[in-house]
Amino acid sequence: MARRKKLTKVVFGVLLGVLISQFSSREECKQPKPAPRVAPAAPAHNLVFVGVMTAARYLDSRAKAVYDTWGRRVPGKVMFFSSEDSYSEDVPLVALPGVDDTYPPQKKSFMMLKHMYDHYIDQYEWFLRADDDVYVRTDRLEELLRSIDSKKPWFIGQTGRGNTEEFGMLSLESDENFCMGGPGVIFSRETLKRMAPYVDECLANLYTTHEDVELGRCVRRFAGISCTWSYEMQVILYHNQSGQAAFSGDLKQKEVHRAITLHPVKQPQYMYRLDKYVKALKIQNYQQETIDLHRGIASAMAELGYRIDHLQEVSLVEGLRLFPEERGSEGYLGDTSLLGLPQSLTRQKPTTLDDVLDWEFISKSLYSYKDLNPRRRIGSSLKEGLGDVVRDIMELINSYSKQRGRVIDFKEILYGYWRLDPVHGVDLILDLLLVYRKYRGHKMTVQVRRHAYVQQTFTGISVREVKNFDFPHISQRPSSTQAVPVHRKIVNQIISTFEQIPPIFHSDNVTKKETINFILPLSGRHEIFKRFLKMYEEVCIKQSEETRLFVILYTEKVEDFNRSSVLIENIQRKYSSSGVSVVTVNETFTRARALEHGLKLLAHDDLTLFIDVDIVFDTKSLLRIRQNTVKDKSIYFPIVYSLYNPKLLNKSYPLDDYAFFNSAIVDEDNGFWRQFGFGIVSLYKSDYVTLGGLNLLISGWGSEDVTFYDEAIKSKLKIVRSVDPSLIHVYHSIDCDINLDVFQRNMCLGTQASMLGSLKQLQKLYKKYEYLFKNLGTW
Ligand SMILES: *[C@@H]1O[C@H](CO)[C@@H](O)[C@H](O)[C@H]1NC(C)=O
Ligand SMILES: *[C@@H]1O[C@H](CO)[C@@H](O)[C@H](O)[C@H]1NC(C)=O
Ligand SMILES: *[C@@H]1O[C@H](CO)[C@@H](O)[C@H](O)[C@H]1NC(C)=O
Ligand SMILES: *[C@@H]1O[C@H](CO)[C@@H](O)[C@H](O)[C@H]1NC(C)=O
Ligand SMILES: *[C@@H]1O[C@H](CO)[C@@H](O)[C@H](O)[C@H]1NC(C)=O
């Protein structure tokens, strides 16, 4: 059951992946954006000097991680400061004479500031004292620094006055403070100029063992200023209390999104991870910006009377094309199909009743009439989606906080409505409970409610190629497609992208056709087996496919057993090399044990397919099996199309005619994709063995396939999970044995019910035969 939930998330995640959001919230629409700050123009390369305090033993771990990530992007210069005898080839290092790596690093800190003053005071406007466990979002740092007048003395940091235990022991007067060291301390040039000449005097007069407290004292004494008193600082210079565990978990948190510096990142691997996350946020912003700009171009061109879908041919003046790059080339930006629908309260105008999009209601649970289960838990995918939306709304609302001297915090979603439509996107109406805190003027804290109307528009589909998967029997692709930057890919339309990229798999050029070993457990079911064998004969034997079939034949149903045995003998006689063999098993049927019986006959390196007698396949399925299953690399779990009970559709199937099912119409009424079926698997025997095989202890109606899938996911192997429209599961009724244990029986009954018919069909039947249900009481 847990597996089911996870899968839904995967599917939904893909949808959200192509969403570009737009917001329109009542309050914010009326507010003008603050004018961009006019920056005093310092060239980017000498805005700030960053001194990172580190120690000899961290040079090739933390210091290297800093230099590999944000360090190189500083709008200015970064240097690392360590003890006298330190040496590094990885980072630009100053080994401070007369300084060792003892803690607290008071001398190191003061001598570092002195070094900055002696060598760089005239070259940089700002000086940042940083630790080797801090992460800095350098673009935001630049934005902040450029908004402040660096000619004045500034001492910027997260203000501290000592915690309760330390109270009174830091030798601070009641109005005195210091900037806490961890998340970073920023000096303007003027501040450093005033205090650095007195570093020796400060070092000679330490009151405590706290480096940052002493720094604050020195700055106050000689520069005459204290650490900035600003509510904002604890947000933008963010310190997390979790110590070693900080930033090792989920990074999708408002604290991470709002901050300029993040502290502490103790393990280098988390520094790299954080960096990737922050970069991904940036990419998202660029994508949004790209789309917005193109929406602008498109609407401007429309105003000028051009046809939107012909923009790629437009020249602004003779010889100057609007989009110089050709459609389909990497730099082409003219795809209007990526723009999505403009936001509007009436973007979807139903003309018939069927066009009306239905809303689902969100509160503690999710309510929808169209689901089999009308009241259900809010799935993790929707939860995450709502979280993203709320974070964006709050960012928008709070973008005016500084000017207004207030912050607004999110508390909860009281209720909401949402609807989703592939063409129009997502609509959300949310009633939010917020906390309004005014910290300037008349201070107050009140709870407020806000309605938010959110529209998320789908852009066109874009394709990204992930290149980390070596398929040995696939020929090398041309190098031109290898390193197309992601952002370029994103703006290329799916069609043109497909044109340039050769298919991942060369359908006709799998150099050596690997033999597929079918393992077919069979107990009873003779008539269906007859169909299966006929199909096998036509698709595999007659067409000389490289396959073998192992029928694991159970004796329990004697009559069927005899007749099936005869069929197999016949086919073995008919073809000198039929590749069909049989294993007779005289025990109670369990699927897992049956498969094991088959596997015993295979060699370590054999490719095997676990199949069921109800499945109909064709040559295309074989191709996909060979392509998607790679020894030591991947296991293929195809998603089969499962036909509903034909009786409910007032149909009947010619059960003996496999070719009829080969051409079955794949749609919503005839059947469904068995997202939660994991029984059909293709893999190498060696990988099966590595994974520890199937759980043989499960008897009766199996869940062994689900367990095995779980193991496969946890392993290093890749899972290839994809719908295969030529693997059809033909409907048959299932008996759920009354003797099964509760879990298995419920699972069996669930499967039975889900295979009956589409919800639409069931509803129709219910309406028709409503009177039959009248006397059933509550159920
Ligand atoms: C910050 O600390 C809190 C409480 O210790 C923790 O729950 C949270 O996950 C941490 N945040 C990050 C981004 O690590
Ligand atoms: C198939 O691959 C072989 C060698 O890998 C190559 O010589 C041949 O041209 C390929 N055929 C096609 C149709 O690509
Ligand atoms: C099955 O075949 C065996 C021998 O081949 C025979 O003895 C037995 O009677 C048959 N059973 C049925 C039910 O046909
Ligand atoms: C299966 O085993 C049972 C008892 O172990 C035996 O009576 C029966 O004849 C066997 N059936 C076949 C087909 O071998
Ligand atoms: C089922 O189909 C038959 C003929 O195809 C038709 O006569 C019959 O009315 C249909 N039954 C229902 C319930 O639609």
Side-chain angles (χ1 to χ4, degrees):
M1 279 314 208
R3 173 59 45 209
R4 298 183 180 198
K5 300 284 154 44
K6 278 184 206 151
L7 271 173
T8 337
K9 177 174 168 184
V10 171
V11 172
F12 198 85
V14 171
L15 279 182
L16 283 180
V18 294
L19 286 182
I20 298 289
S21 48
Q22 305 175 314
F23 298 103
S24 53
S25 134
R26 255 200 217 149
E27 180 202 30
E28 307 302 336
C29 274
K30 291 187 217 129
Q31 293 173 341
K33 277 209 154 188
R37 297 162 180 138
V38 181
H45 58 268
N46 58 8
L47 181 67
V48 58
F49 182 99
V50 179
V52 181
M53 285 203 292
T54 185
R57 68 175 181 287
Y58 289 130
L59 282 173
D60 55 5
S61 52
R62 288 187 189 170
K64 184 169 184 306
V66 166
Y67 195 55
D68 283 347
T69 56
W70 61 270
R72 279 182 225 253
R73 297 195 297 267
V74 166
K77 192 179 186 69
V78 67
M79 292 286 259
F80 294 79
F81 293 80
S82 182
S83 51
E84 196 164 22
D85 295 324
S86 304
Y87 173 78
S88 169
E89 287 190 346
D90 296 326
V91 301
L93 182 71
V94 176
L96 292 164
V99 172
D100 58 24
D101 282 336
T102 49
Y103 198 86
Q106 289 148 331
K107 191 165 183 199
K108 195 184 280 173
S109 168
F110 279 106
M111 293 322 285
M112 174 173 90
L113 290 170
K114 180 137 188 345
H115 182 98
M116 291 179 181
Y117 173 75
D118 290 345
H119 296 86
Y120 301 105
I121 189 72
D122 292 326
Q123 293 171 43
Y124 297 93
E125 290 186 30
W126 296 94
F127 296 85
L128 168 63
R129 170 225 159 283
D131 284 340
D132 56 9
D133 59 353
V134 69
Y135 182 85
V136 181
R137 296 180 71 170
T138 50
D139 49 345
R140 292 201 173 174
L141 177 69
E142 176 166 2
E143 211 178 296
L144 172 78
L145 295 182
R146 288 196 187 283
S147 72
I148 309 171
D149 183 357
S150 65
K151 295 196 182 61
K152 298 207 175 111
W154 289 106
F155 184 43
I156 302 171
Q158 204 190 111
T159 311
R161 310 197 48 210
N163 58 30
T164 28
E165 296 126 60
E166 293 164 341
F167 192 76
M169 297 170 67
L170 299 180
S171 306
L172 295 175
E173 298 295 325
S174 63
D175 58 343
E176 291 178 348
N177 68 10
F178 60 95
C179 287
M180 295 202 285
V185 179
I186 303 167
F187 300 75
S188 64
R189 182 191 283 160
E190 181 61 25
T191 307
L192 195 60
K193 252 187 191 160
R194 291 186 190 177
M195 69 82 74
Y198 301 98
V199 156
D200 291 332
E201 197 171 335
C202 292
L203 266 176
N205 293 290
L206 300 176
Y207 288 71
T208 69
T209 55
H210 298 278
E211 176 256 332
D212 47 6
V213 175
E214 295 311 317
L215 201 58
R217 204 186 310 282
C218 189
V219 169
R220 195 167 44 253
R221 187 162 159 213
F222 294 105
I225 53 170
S226 30
C227 193
T228 42
W229 290 108
S230 168
Y231 187 86
E232 229 188 334
M233 286 306 151
Q234 37 186 301
V235 172
I236 60 180
L237 306 177
Y238 175 63
H239 170 77
N240 191 291
Q241 307 284 354
S242 313
Q244 290 283 340
F247 310 105
S248 63
D250 188 9
L251 293 174
K252 222 182 209 187
Q253 299 186 18
K254 66 170 189 286
E255 289 80 9
V256 176
H257 284 230
R258 294 189 305 202
I260 294 177
T261 71
L262 299 154
H263 176 262
V265 189
K266 293 286 184 199
Q267 308 279 340
Q269 66 263 38
Y270 293 129
M271 184 73 81
Y272 291 106
R273 175 171 169 268
L274 187 55
D275 192 48
K276 282 222 164 70
Y277 183 77
V278 169
K279 278 181 177 161
L281 289 180
K282 240 178 135 170
I283 289 174
Q284 265 177 20
N285 284 341
Y286 284 139
Q287 283 172 3
Q288 178 72 55
E289 217 171 289
T290 310
I291 298 251
D292 285 345
L293 288 171
H294 279 88
R295 283 181 178 143
I297 293 174
S299 69
M301 295 307 281
E303 295 273 312
L304 292 172
Y306 289 97
R307 276 189 52 191
I308 291 292
D309 49 352
H310 279 69
L311 289 188
Q312 69 267 30
E313 290 137 30
V314 168
S315 290
L316 294 173
V317 293
E318 182 76 35
L320 179 59
R321 304 252 312 263
L322 178 61
F323 298 114
E325 303 261 356
E326 290 300 320
R327 174 178 221 118
S329 68
E330 288 174 18
Y332 180 67
L333 293 171
D335 263 324
T336 43
S337 60
L338 284 175
L339 302 183
L341 294 183
Q343 72 194 107
S344 130
L345 285 176
T346 54
R347 62 179 173 171
Q348 201 258 355
K349 291 198 194 107
T351 49
T352 67
L353 192 59
D354 282 347
D355 287 349
V356 177
L357 299 176
D358 33 71
W359 293 89
E360 292 180 67
F361 178 66
I362 303 164
S363 67
K364 295 284 173 263
S365 306
L366 181 65
Y367 297 82
S368 45
Y369 81 85
K370 63 184 165 185
D371 198 272
L372 266 177
N373 185 2
R375 172 170 170 262
R376 52 195 202 284
R377 208 169 57 88
I378 301 178
S380 51
S381 50
L382 181 57
K383 227 180 237 166
E384 180 155 355
L386 286 173
D388 289 349
V389 165
V390 165
R391 204 172 331 95
D392 279 345
I393 294 176
M394 295 315 296
E395 241 165 65
L396 204 66
I397 292 180
N398 278 317
S399 54
Y400 314 99
S401 284
K402 199 158 68 179
Q403 291 88 330
R404 300 181 167 202
R406 51 90 160 147
V407 266
I408 297 175
D409 284 325
F410 169 72
K411 221 159 160 210
E412 61 173 324
I413 297 176
L414 292 172
Y415 67 86
Y417 297 92
W418 87 298
R419 62 181 184 185
L420 166 75
D421 168 65
V423 177
H424 301 94
V426 181
D427 290 322
L428 268 171
I429 300 174
L430 298 174
D431 190 343
L432 304 172
L433 183 62
L434 310 173
V435 181
Y436 177 101
R437 285 182 235 279
K438 194 153 172 63
Y439 56 83
R440 223 172 29 225
H442 178 62
K443 291 191 180 62
M444 63 173 175
T445 299
V446 281
Q447 293 203 338
V448 291
R449 283 170 73 171
R450 269 269 171 265
H451 273 147
Y453 297 81
V454 180
Q455 294 191 341
Q456 291 182 300
T457 297
F458 293 117
T459 70
I461 296 173
S462 57
V463 173
R464 190 157 65 97
E465 197 183 351
V466 180
K467 280 209 58 188
N468 59 354
F469 200 176
D470 304 324
F471 283 89
H473 43 242
I474 289 160
S475 58
Q476 278 298 310
R477 269 170 279 146
S479 59
S480 70
T481 62
Q482 296 205 336
V484 181
V486 172
H487 65 278
R488 295 258 170 91
K489 274 275 167 60
I490 298 287
V491 295
N492 276 340
Q493 194 194 349
I494 183 164
I495 305 299
S496 48
T497 313
F498 276 164
E499 278 163 8
Q500 334 166 34
I501 301 178
I504 296 181
F505 307 111
H506 288 271
S507 45
D508 301 322
N509 212 7
V510 175
T511 32
K512 177 177 161 285
K513 272 201 176 172
E514 188 78 31
T515 302
I516 304 174
N517 296 281
F518 288 68
I519 300 184
L520 174 70
L522 186 64
S523 168
R525 317 289 312 277
H526 170 72
E527 289 304 321
I528 305 298
F529 177 61
K530 211 155 111 186
R531 177 185 74 208
F532 187 92
L533 206 59
K534 182 79 195 148
M535 169 177 69
Y536 187 81
E537 184 182 352
E538 296 293 333
V539 175
C540 298
I541 303 179
K542 285 199 182 163
Q543 302 192 39
S544 311
E545 279 285 352
E546 294 291 329
T547 59
R548 293 191 291 174
L549 172 63
F550 295 87
V551 182
I552 316 303
L553 189 58
Y554 278 70
T555 54
E556 352 178 64
K557 293 174 182 143
V558 185
E559 210 165 298
D560 277 11
F561 166 67
N562 277 7
R563 288 155 67 197
S564 294
S565 303
V566 172
L567 272 190
I568 295 170
E569 278 163 28
N570 285 349
I571 206 151
Q572 284 166 338
R573 259 200 301 277
K574 189 167 164 190
Y575 300 94
S576 58
S577 55
S578 67
V580 178
S581 28
V582 64
V583 180
T584 307
V585 182
N586 186 7
E587 59 187 34
T588 315
F589 177 80
T590 74
R591 189 166 178 273
R593 289 195 61 87
L595 294 169
E596 287 265 334
H597 283 303
L599 280 162
K600 274 186 213 141
L601 305 177
L602 298 187
H604 194 63
D605 289 340
D606 278 348
L607 168 61
T608 172
L609 172 73
F610 299 164
I611 196 160
D612 282 345
V613 72
D614 298 299
I615 300 285
V616 172
F617 63 86
D618 63 17
T619 23
K620 280 178 261 153
S621 323
L622 301 181
L623 181 67
R624 284 189 269 263
I625 286 161
R626 289 200 180 97
Q627 287 168 342
N628 292 320
T629 320
V630 181
K631 187 166 145 48
D632 298 334
K633 291 236 160 73
S634 71
I635 301 186
Y636 178 41
F637 286 87
I639 300 173
V640 305
Y641 182 70
S642 197
L643 293 168
Y644 288 131
N645 187 347
K647 281 191 194 139
L648 258 64
L649 293 161
N650 196 19
K651 283 184 185 172
S652 68
Y653 293 147
L655 280 182
D656 53 351
D657 179 9
Y658 78 92
F660 172 84
F661 297 103
N662 278 154
S663 52
I665 294 169
V666 173
D667 69 9
E668 281 185 4
D669 293 325
N670 285 316
F672 66 105
W673 294 110
R674 242 194 206 188
Q675 303 282 0
F676 307 114
F678 306 98
I680 313 301
V681 190
S682 115
L683 78 178
Y684 280 81
K685 181 178 172 183
S686 53
D687 290 329
Y688 176 87
V689 173
T690 311
L691 285 177
L694 291 163
N695 183 347
L696 299 179
L697 300 176
I698 298 175
S699 61
W701 210 85
S703 50
E704 78 286 339
D705 51 351
V706 181
T707 323
F708 183 70
Y709 182 69
D710 273 334
E711 288 303 318
I713 285 189
K714 282 186 238 149
S715 76
K716 288 211 167 70
L717 296 162
K718 296 245 173 190
I719 305 298
V720 181
R721 181 98 175 123
S722 168
V723 296
D724 186 335
S726 53
L727 281 180
I728 310 279
H729 180 274
V730 179
Y731 176 83
H732 67 92
S733 60
I734 320 174
D735 288 328
C736 293
D737 192 338
I738 196 89
N739 296 319
L740 287 174
D741 74 41
V742 179
F743 176 71
Q744 284 183 321
R745 189 169 151 77
N746 281 343
M747 218 162 127
C748 180
L749 287 172
T751 305
Q752 198 185 45
S754 71
M755 296 196 334
L756 218 47
S758 67
L759 186 61
K760 203 164 89 188
Q761 195 61 29
L762 294 176
Q763 280 169 342
K764 272 190 198 152
L765 282 174
Y766 176 76
K767 286 312 279 180
K768 191 164 167 190
Y769 298 108
E770 205 169 355
Y771 60 93
L772 291 175
F773 294 88
K774 283 269 160 62
N775 297 323
L776 288 178
T778 48
W779 48 285

